[in-house]
């Protein structure tokens, strides 16, 4: 047993009691505000009129209580009260104090705006009747993530009432819930919903920050996503609407995951807006050199310095709030490497904040997903996060795109693809070359597209980005997309090109949903959404980025394919192993994998690497732990010429029952049976899935 004193000494310093109860705490006689600043000399609490945000009705000095914390108590801190803080301190490199600035208190649960950069914090009561509705707690092996934008999902939905278009309440409308449930996804991952602001540069161009990766505050839901009625009632109603959305999604069995941006803030570089942390303690909250020059590892002007205990605690307390008070189910951490950088600005997977997030009892069973890179030195860290963490797998994305798109493009010009099927098979089987045995295949969050980049339809329709509408002369956005237009750039009426594009989309979606790991579908890809070749549409709040629900017949077919694939994943545990198999061992909830070539023979080393033979049969057998024994056979053919495939032999009298084919324009309702040794034909660049069942 660990002695209490040893346990206490092993706790990270960011958990010191000095940093407890920051922000406003309400009591019977009003409220107490506690704010941390290591370098401030003075701090004031300013209370404003409930209507006139420029009318300061009271200014109170805040008293230092030790450890850098300033405190004030007053009956005026009641639910609905508007307030701000003023902070004074020394001048010098790294310090940017200005006691005239009205600042957002970092733990504010509500905000109101009086114009650009002019904010007031709002005291929130936060009470809400959850009605006994709890979190769905979907196991990771059954998780299918659906990444979407609160506004974009419902802004044009014909069955969502206009008053709810683009809102939290709209996302929880029965029409949206029905779509999500019919699709079969389990977890909705929302682009940033923390209060955020649009950068001055975009405002000057008549554009806006649509994605929301520009946080103003880490505790307040973004008010413009609430209905007009909630916004008119105030921040308390906005928060209730958000919680109501979570409650209704939970009632339907759907999880809510938030894309959170703790790596930087909307204060940008020095000279940018001074709204909160910069005015409270710039030296402590932002990474910088000794002479005050920002170390920008995010590309957004600043980087939050989580090597400072108070900054790390701010992140941890925000996560606790959203996971417990607001009942969200998980977090996807934008540029998570920045959060794991130490005082020397080097990444370490054992960073106190990363450990605290993983080990915190208040965050038990919360899904933790890292975007495992930033733009700083040593910023690419895919596979490096510790146990308990899941990671966006960009290696998976790149290999899958290469196999179905850029390799095919290369083969058309050079008569053969540049590589064989071995690397693709590794990704299909869970990326064991990236994630350790201890973490297993579920450490990999697989994706082919995301909010950032081409949509699925654009990936098969454009060779290059078309971002001129972003106001940067097409300089922004990724240059390397591993896409292929299949013979025409963008829109075309050529029926052959269109058919090939549709099959490519089915191959990409099929690979995503039949791979070991945790799949993430980007909202709209299931219906073939386009952004007309814009691969960086962060600044467009318009029909370009909103989902269209007016579908052509082929889009209905793609939607049906996606539904079928999600259902097949759910029904066949061999497709979703929890652990990696090991030769000669029985590993519970692993899938034992056997690999065959098109002749039904065990893959030779030459076949793995031969670009002329990009055909693979993948037989996966589950190792039952909680579900029945399951076996599937997936055939992948990565060349454009058709091929005949001999099904592999089996040791028993079982047969192969066909479940799905990417060659079909619409999913087939037939389930033909085949015997071991039978020959099946695959068209160029296609897939077929079978389940192994006892013979009839």
């Amino acid at each position: 047993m660990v002695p209490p004193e040893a346990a206490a000494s092993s706790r990270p310093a960011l958990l010191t009691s000095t940093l407890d109860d920051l922000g406003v705490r309400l009591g019977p006689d009003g409220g107490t505000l506690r704010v941390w600043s290591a370098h401030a000399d003075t701090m004031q609490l300013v209370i404003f009129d409930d209507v006139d945000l420029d009318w300061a009705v009271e200014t109170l000095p805040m008293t230092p209580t030790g450890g850098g914390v300033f405190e004030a108590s007053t009956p005026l801190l009641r639910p609905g009260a508007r307030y701000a803080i003023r902070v004074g301190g020394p001048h010098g490199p790294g310090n940017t104090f200005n006691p005239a600035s009205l600042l957002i208190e970092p733990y504010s649960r509500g905000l109101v705006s009086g114009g650009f950069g002019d904010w007031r914090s709002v005291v929130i009561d936060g009470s809400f009747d959850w009605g006994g509705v709890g979190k769905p707690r979907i196991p990771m092996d059954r998780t299918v993530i659906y990444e979407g934008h609160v506004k974009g999902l419902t802004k044009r939905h014909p069955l969502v009432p206009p008053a709810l278009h683009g809102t939290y309440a709209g996302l929880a409308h029965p029409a949206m819930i029905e779509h999500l449930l019919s699709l079969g996804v389990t977890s909705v991952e929302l682009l940033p919903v923390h209060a955020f602001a649009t950068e001055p540069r975009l405002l000057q161009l008549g554009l806006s920050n649509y994605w929301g990766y520009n946080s103003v505050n880490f505790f307040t839901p973004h008010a413009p996503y609430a209905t007009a009625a909630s916004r008119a009632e105030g921040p308390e109603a906005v928060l209730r609407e958000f919680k109501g959305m979570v409650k209704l999604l939970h009632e339907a069995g759907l999880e809510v995951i938030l894309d959170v941006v703790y790596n930087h803030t909307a204060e940008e570089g020095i000279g940018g807006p001074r709204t909160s942390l910069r005015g409270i303690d710039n030296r402590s909250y932002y990474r910088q050199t000794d002479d005050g020059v920002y170390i920008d590892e995010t590309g957004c002007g600043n980087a939050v310095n989580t090597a400072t205990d108070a900054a790390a605690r701010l992140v941890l307390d925000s996560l606790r709030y959203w996971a417990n008070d607001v009942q969200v189910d998980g977090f996807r951490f934008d540029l998570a490497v920045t959060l794991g950088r130490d005082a020397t600005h080097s990444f370490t997977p054992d960073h106190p904040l990363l450990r605290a997030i993983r080990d915190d009892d208040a965050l038990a069973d919360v899904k933790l997903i890292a975007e495992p890179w930033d733009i700083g030195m040593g910023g690419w860290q895919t596979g490096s996060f510790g146990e308990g963490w899941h990671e966006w797998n960009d290696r998976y994305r790149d290999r899958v795109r290469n196999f179905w798109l850029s390799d095919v493009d290369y083969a058309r010009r050079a008569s053969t693809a540049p590589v064989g099927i071995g690397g693709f098979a590794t990704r299909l089987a869970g990326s064991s070359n990236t994630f350790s045995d201890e973490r297993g295949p579920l450490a990999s969050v697989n994706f082919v597209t995301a909010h950032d980049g081409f949509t699925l339809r654009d990936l098969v329709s454009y060779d290059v980005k078309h971002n001129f509408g972003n106001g940067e002369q097409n300089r922004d956005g990724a240059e390397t997309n591993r896409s292929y237009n299949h013979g025409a750039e963008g829109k075309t009426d050529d029926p052959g090109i269109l058919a090939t594009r549709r099959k490519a989309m089915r191959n990409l979606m099929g690979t995503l949903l039949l791979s070991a790991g945790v799949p993430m579908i980007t909202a709209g890809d299931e219906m073939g959404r386009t952004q007309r070749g814009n691969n960086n549409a962060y600044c467009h709040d318009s029909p370009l980025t909103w989902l269209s629900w007016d579908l052509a017949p082929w889009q209905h077919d793609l939607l049906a394919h996606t539904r079928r694939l999600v259902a097949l994943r759910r029904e066949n545990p061999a497709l979703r192993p929890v652990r990696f198999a090991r030769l000669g061992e029985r590993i519970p909830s692993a899938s034992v994998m056997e690999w065959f070539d098109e002749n039904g023979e065990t893959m030779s080393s030459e076949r793995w690497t031969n670009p002329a033979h990009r055909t693979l049969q993948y037989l996966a057998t589950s190792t039952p732990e909680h579900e029945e024994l399951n076996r599937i056979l997936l055939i992948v053919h990565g060349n454009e010429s058709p091929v005949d495939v001999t099904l592999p032999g089996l040791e028993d009298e079982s047969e192969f029952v066909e479940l799905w084919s990417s060659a079909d324009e619409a999913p087939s309702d037939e389930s033909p049976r085949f015997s071991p040794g039978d020959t099946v034909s695959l068209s160029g660049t296609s897939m077929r899935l079978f389940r192994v069942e006892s013979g009839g």
Side-chain angles (χ1 to χ4, degrees), residues 503 597-600 607 612-617 635-646 679-688:
K503 185 170 62 172
D597 61 19
E598 65 267 32
N599 300 313
R607 283 300 180 103
H613 293 278
R614 287 161 49 102
T615 306
L616 175 72
Q617 300 191 74
I635 306 178
V636 178
H637 176 51
N639 287 330
E640 288 202 285
S641 300
V643 65
D644 289 335
V645 174
T646 301
T679 298
V680 297
S681 297
L682 272 75
S683 61
T685 54
S686 64
M687 308 169 71
R688 291 176 75 169

Side-chain angles (χ1 to χ4, degrees), residues 316-375:
L316 183 65
D317 286 344
S318 171
L319 294 170
R320 289 168 163 176
Y321 172 72
W322 289 98
N324 294 287
D325 291 59
V326 192
Q327 288 287 291
V328 303
D329 305 275
F331 304 95
R332 178 265 188 190
F333 294 82
D334 181 64
L335 302 181
V337 168
T338 299
L339 303 182
R341 290 184 180 273
D342 59 20
T344 69
H345 314 297
S346 300
F347 173 77
T348 169
D350 201 37
H351 189 284
L353 175 58
L354 299 184
R355 284 193 290 111
I357 292 171
R358 181 196 63 195
D359 297 338
D360 196 332
D361 290 341
L363 299 177
D365 299 322
V366 168
K367 291 178 167 68
L368 305 174
I369 302 170
E371 182 183 39
W373 53 79
D374 66 13
I375 68 165

Side-chain angles (χ1 to χ4, degrees), residues 66 75 178 235 289-290 538 561 586 646:
E178 190 281 329
T289 62
D290 290 341
Y538 75 102
H561 272 285
R586 187 187 187 281
T646 301

Side-chain angles (χ1 to χ4, degrees), residues 287-620:
R287 293 187 180 275
Q288 53 196 278
T289 62
D290 290 341
D291 56 0
V293 176
Y294 274 12
I295 299 172
D296 180 11
E297 287 135 342
T298 68
C300 301
N302 64 62
V304 173
N305 185 12
T306 53
T308 302
D309 292 333
R313 180 64 176 269
L314 176 66
V315 173
L316 183 65
D317 286 344
S318 171
L319 294 170
R320 289 168 163 176
Y321 172 72
W322 289 98
N324 294 287
D325 291 59
V326 192
Q327 288 287 291
V328 303
D329 305 275
F331 304 95
R332 178 265 188 190
F333 294 82
D334 181 64
L335 302 181
V337 168
T338 299
L339 303 182
R341 290 184 180 273
D342 59 20
T344 69
H345 314 297
S346 300
F347 173 77
T348 169
D350 201 37
H351 189 284
L353 175 58
L354 299 184
R355 284 193 290 111
I357 292 171
R358 181 196 63 195
D359 297 338
D360 196 332
D361 290 341
L363 299 177
D365 299 322
V366 168
K367 291 178 167 68
L368 305 174
I369 302 170
E371 182 183 39
W373 53 79
D374 66 13
I375 68 165
M377 291 291 291
W380 187 74
Q381 293 290 337
T382 305
S384 298
F385 283 70
E387 288 189 60
W389 285 87
H390 311 271
E391 301 176 37
W392 271 26
N393 189 349
D394 56 322
R395 291 181 173 182
Y396 176 94
R397 173 200 64 198
D398 293 349
R399 176 61 71 178
V400 171
R401 288 186 180 190
N402 281 348
F403 185 81
W404 291 118
L405 299 175
S406 55
D407 286 1
V408 173
D409 177 24
Y410 185 97
R412 284 192 182 185
R413 292 180 283 108
S415 75
T416 187
V419 296
I421 203 168
F424 175 84
T426 300
R427 299 301 164 195
L428 188 70
S431 297
S432 61
N433 60 346
T434 302
F435 301 101
S436 66
D437 279 354
E438 292 74 20
R439 298 181 67 193
L442 298 179
S444 177
V445 175
N446 298 331
F447 66 107
V448 175
T449 66
H451 66 275
D452 185 4
F454 281 146
T455 67
L456 183 69
R457 179 175 171 182
D458 289 354
L459 198 61
V460 305
S461 305
Y462 294 90
D463 278 354
V464 296
K465 64 184 182 180
H466 295 264
N467 296 357
F468 289 97
N470 297 359
E472 299 184 48
Q473 291 76 51
N474 208 37
R475 291 192 300 265
D476 64 305
E479 298 289 347
T480 303
N481 296 284
R482 296 174 168 83
S483 60
Y484 181 35
N485 67 21
H486 293 88
E489 186 70 1
K491 190 174 182 179
T492 181
D493 295 324
D494 187 304
I497 292 175
L498 292 174
T500 305
R501 288 177 177 177
R502 292 194 297 270
K503 185 170 62 172
M505 282 188 273
R506 296 191 294 268
N507 285 329
L508 291 164
M509 187 65 78
T511 301
L512 174 65
L513 290 168
L514 301 178
S515 293
V518 180
M520 185 187 79
I521 300 170
T522 303
D525 278 355
E526 75 275 20
M527 303 179 291
R529 182 176 77 90
T530 179
Q531 290 179 169
R532 301 197 298 272
N534 192 319
N535 75 349
N536 191 34
Y538 75 102
C539 55
H540 294 280
D541 185 357
S542 72
L544 181 72
T545 51
W546 305 335
L547 267 64
S548 172
W549 299 87
D550 183 15
L551 307 183
W554 73 265
Q555 292 175 294
H556 284 287
D557 290 340
L558 180 59
L559 178 58
H561 272 285
T562 307
R563 287 170 171 159
R564 173 71 60 84
L565 287 161
V566 174
L568 290 172
R569 180 181 187 86
R570 180 174 60 249
E571 295 162 3
N572 292 279
L575 291 168
R576 41 182 176 81
V578 175
R579 302 175 183 90
F580 291 124
R582 288 197 293 269
L583 187 64
E585 298 183 44
R586 187 187 187 281
I587 307 297
S589 293
S591 288
V592 177
M593 300 169 185
E594 300 174 73
W595 308 91
F596 305 93
D597 61 19
E598 65 267 32
N599 300 313
E601 299 174 355
T602 299
M603 286 284 285
S604 65
S605 57
E606 188 274 335
R607 283 300 180 103
W608 283 116
T609 58
N610 189 336
H613 293 278
R614 287 161 49 102
T615 306
L616 175 72
Q617 300 191 74
Y618 160 52
L619 183 64

Side-chain angles (χ1 to χ4, degrees), residues 19 65 86 95 140 143 279 350 435 544 553 569 631 641 696:
L19 298 175
T65 61
R86 291 191 176 113
N95 292 322
M140 284 305 296
T143 297
D350 201 37
F435 301 101
L544 181 72
R569 180 181 187 86
R631 284 192 289 176
S641 300

Side-chain angles (χ1 to χ4, degrees), residues 210-282:
Y210 174 67
W211 287 349
Y213 293 88
N214 203 40
S215 301
V216 168
N217 171 263
F218 297 150
F219 289 82
T220 303
H222 191 58
Y225 292 161
T227 58
S230 292
R231 297 198 306 272
E233 190 176 341
E236 192 84 58
V238 171
L239 178 59
R240 279 200 306 271
E241 183 176 324
F242 191 99
K243 290 180 176 179
M245 173 195 72
V246 174
K247 179 180 177 180
L248 288 171
L249 291 172
H250 282 178
E251 280 185 329
L254 295 163
E255 294 183 320
V256 178
I257 297 172
L258 302 187
D259 192 335
V260 286
V261 188
Y262 295 118
N263 57 80
H264 74 281
T265 75
E267 291 185 308
E268 301 183 8
I270 292 293
R274 184 206 313 266
T275 56
S276 186
L277 302 182
R278 175 172 293 140
I280 295 171
D281 194 334
N282 181 65

